[in-house]
Amino acid sequence: MAEIDARPLDTLAIVGLGLIGSSIARGARQFGLARRIVAIDRDEAVLERVRALNLADAATDDLAAGVAGADLVILCVPVGAVGAVAERMGPALKPGAIVSDVGSVKASVVAAVAPHLPVGVHFVPAHPVAGTEYSGPDAGFSTLFSGRWCILTPAEDTDPAATARVQVFWEGLRAIVETMTPEHHDLVLAITSHVPHLIAYNIVGTAADLEAVTQSEVIKFSAGGFRDFTRIAASDPTMWRDVFLTNKDAVLEMLGRFNEDLAALARAIRWGDGEALHDLFTRTRAIRRGIVAMGQETAEADFGRGRPSDPAA
Amino acid sequence: MAEIDARPLDTLAIVGLGLIGSSIARGARQFGLARRIVAIDRDEAVLERVRALNLADAATDDLAAGVAGADLVILCVPVGAVGAVAERMGPALKPGAIVSDVGSVKASVVAAVAPHLPVGVHFVPAHPVAGTEYSGPDAGFSTLFSGRWCILTPAEDTDPAATARVQVFWEGLRAIVETMTPEHHDLVLAITSHVPHLIAYNIVGTAADLEAVTQSEVIKFSAGGFRDFTRIAASDPTMWRDVFLTNKDAVLEMLGRFNEDLAALARAIRWGDGEALHDLFTRTRAIRRGIVAMGQETAEADFGRGRPSDPAA
């Protein structure tokens, strides 16, 4: 077993200072994970916010100069953009540098990034399973990853010391690290994240397009359940477009299962099979209890939303 | 225009002291809406909790005796049970009494209840669009309806004074009252509540049944979106079975629209139509903004769930 290097990084470079990138910057500073943080973004407005919020020691739109001295470079751009970024920064990376990312899809990221990295640079793909519906450098916060899982998908021949370095970094951000293959990751996330987002986006679109029910009615009576879906359907459009385009096969497979089950449920409704409905509705409660028990969800009613001032009254 | 009677009720009878019934009892007492509250439930364990929590002035399992002197009787039982309750209590109601309910479906409730009410008793169906994923008398709280809509669906020939009385009562619970036909109600709620619950129950069931992804993985990585659906899918099984059985036509119609749109979305993914995806994902953000602006949802990231102690850090 290789000795694990838990010292702070000398230089951490973050490419893309959105919700995730800026949360990493905040956390790395708060938890003392890097001596120096370089923020790289092609958007001058984002860089201005990074400077105003003092999220990094340096902020630049020069990708090659920004990554040049970094020990760890984390790509926090939409998964459709990682390949082009890797191609442009590859020649500037220092020997022994570690490249990682935060993409919600892993197999396509590996295929897009790995070919552009020079020999002697380590690639340890990562996916912190955390986020909110807000985007941009102002939306981030240092504890976003606290108690959440971060999945690493290193190749079999990746230097274990590089993988360990990334693991230690994410544990420093208070995440729980698990390792799996990119392919399995993409299947797991298809059902726990991608298809849920797809059906949330879809039902919000369906509701918006009805003629018999006005948009005003949809909004007013949304507390009946619909509003929960609108949170997810307010997530970043570019990020999510890229997720669906790059994890097509797993998403369509899981969506196929969802559709089969939904057809059976519709048939149960049509034929008045109350027992089948009651059975499913009882079974699904157990899964939520498991999620709450594992600390991945609040036990408070209604997510603690609009906490009553007098819950016992 | 009839004069509106805003005096407190003499006697309010609540049949079924679950989440909704017990919240009405708490609110009616806190906001001074009735001089006397009678709680009626067939479950002795519920009645014991009602007494322990002091939610009513009397608690009984005797339906006829409980409703006998009431000015307003509110049925807070699953919509599949209202007909039988109405049949049993009808002969005991006093002349001039008002009967209401809180069912999530209205046309079938009207059909089930109205025939059992004697002449001289007014029926004003109601549906407060509010709730949490918890059930039972301990789950209720007095402000559950505050700022939420309550929909009334009186028949055309209903005494306007009776409708006004129910409206004043719900406004006393801090709800916003709107009136529409039972049929339109059922269509609106099919898209804002019933279909969202159906697809939430469905995806939780799909995830539980996969072979390629373990239940433990589903639970651990649920923060990617899935966990939001589990809240709704933890709602009361009996209540929701009855909703789907009694609002079959509107649910299947809205589900048909949802499925058409989902098929188009799947095709966009299959053929890599990023523009169609991005368009939809941008459009859906506006609906959420409308819901937040109308006070039906918190603007806090992630529903305010797990508020970070240092959001600006």
Side-chain angles (χ1 to χ4, degrees), chain A residues 58-115:
Chain A
T60 178
D61 66 353
D62 187 332
L63 181 63
V67 304
D71 306 288
L72 174 61
V73 178
I74 307 183
L75 307 181
C76 305
V77 299
V79 293
V82 287
V85 170
E87 183 171 15
R88 283 170 47 227
M89 78 176 185
L93 294 165
K94 77 172 188 185
I98 301 170
V99 171
S100 188
D101 76 312
V102 297
S104 302
V105 178
K106 295 270 67 86
S108 80
V109 165
V110 169
V113 171

Side-chain angles (χ1 to χ4, degrees), chain A residues 134 206 220 261 297 299 307, chain B residues 134 178 206 261 299 305 307:
Chain A
Y134 289 102
T206 301
K220 281 197 272 188
D261 292 344
E297 176 63 285
R307 290 172 177 73
Chain B
Y134 290 101
E178 188 149 323
T206 302
D261 292 344
R305 188 159 56 182
R307 290 171 176 77

Side-chain angles (χ1 to χ4, degrees), chain B residues 3-15:
Chain B
E3 190 134 323
I4 289 182
D5 185 354
R7 288 170 304 171
L9 299 160
D10 273 329
T11 300
L12 165 66
I14 300 169
V15 184

Side-chain angles (χ1 to χ4, degrees), chain A residues 234-272:
Chain A
S235 300
D236 188 73
T238 303
M239 171 191 157
W240 282 97
R241 176 199 63 197
D242 287 2
V243 165
F244 294 116
L245 295 179
T246 55
N247 197 25
K248 176 159 65 172
D249 293 343
V251 166
L252 292 177
E253 180 183 334
M254 290 298 174
L255 188 59
R257 303 289 289 249
F258 172 84
N259 279 330
E260 277 176 36
D261 292 344
L262 191 58
L265 207 45
R267 199 170 49 220
I269 291 173
R270 190 177 297 283
W271 293 102

Side-chain angles (χ1 to χ4, degrees), chain A residues 26 30 133-134 142 178 184 193 206 217 220 224 227 234 261 284 296-297 299 302-303 305 307 310 313, chain B residues 26 30 133-134 142 178 184 193 206 217 220 224 227 233 261 296-297 299 302-303 305 307 310 313:
Chain A
R26 287 171 168 96
Q30 175 167 332
E133 68 276 28
Y134 289 102
S142 65
E178 187 149 324
H184 188 62
S193 179
T206 301
E217 286 175 322
K220 281 197 272 188
R227 64 178 176 162
D261 292 344
T284 48
Q296 295 306 296
E297 176 63 285
D302 212 11
F303 302 122
R305 188 158 55 183
R307 290 172 177 73
D310 54 345
Chain B
R26 287 171 169 96
Q30 176 166 333
E133 68 276 28
Y134 290 101
S142 64
E178 188 149 323
H184 188 62
S193 179
T206 302
E217 287 175 322
K220 281 197 272 188
R227 63 177 176 162
D261 292 344
Q296 294 307 296
E297 177 62 287
D302 212 12
F303 301 121
R305 188 159 56 182
R307 290 171 176 77
D310 54 346

Side-chain angles (χ1 to χ4, degrees), chain A residues 155-290:
Chain A
E156 278 188 26
D157 61 354
T158 300
D159 179 358
T163 302
R165 204 82 178 81
V166 175
Q167 170 160 358
V168 165
F169 180 80
W170 280 101
E171 288 172 350
L173 291 171
R174 310 298 187 252
I176 309 158
V177 174
E178 187 149 324
T179 298
M180 59 181 72
T181 66
E183 292 70 26
H184 188 62
H185 167 279
D186 290 354
L187 208 56
V188 171
L189 271 290
I191 189 69
T192 62
S193 179
H194 306 170
V195 169
H197 274 79
L198 193 70
I199 64 182
Y201 278 122
N202 190 67
I203 194 166
V204 176
T206 301
D209 291 345
L210 296 172
E211 315 83 38
V213 178
T214 68
Q215 193 143 320
S216 157
E217 286 175 322
V218 166
I219 288 172
K220 281 197 272 188
F221 307 123
S222 61
F226 178 76
R227 64 178 176 162
D228 283 26
F229 293 74
T230 64
R231 188 188 77 79
I232 283 189
S235 300
D236 188 73
T238 303
M239 171 191 157
W240 282 97
R241 176 199 63 197
D242 287 2
V243 165
F244 294 116
L245 295 179
T246 55
N247 197 25
K248 176 159 65 172
D249 293 343
V251 166
L252 292 177
E253 180 183 334
M254 290 298 174
L255 188 59
R257 303 289 289 249
F258 172 84
N259 279 330
E260 277 176 36
D261 292 344
L262 191 58
L265 207 45
R267 199 170 49 220
I269 291 173
R270 190 177 297 283
W271 293 102
D273 185 351
E275 205 177 324
L277 298 176
H278 197 274
D279 282 353
L280 172 67
F281 301 171
T282 304
R283 216 152 56 81
T284 48
R285 285 189 140 176
I287 297 250
R288 176 147 185 102
R289 281 196 295 269

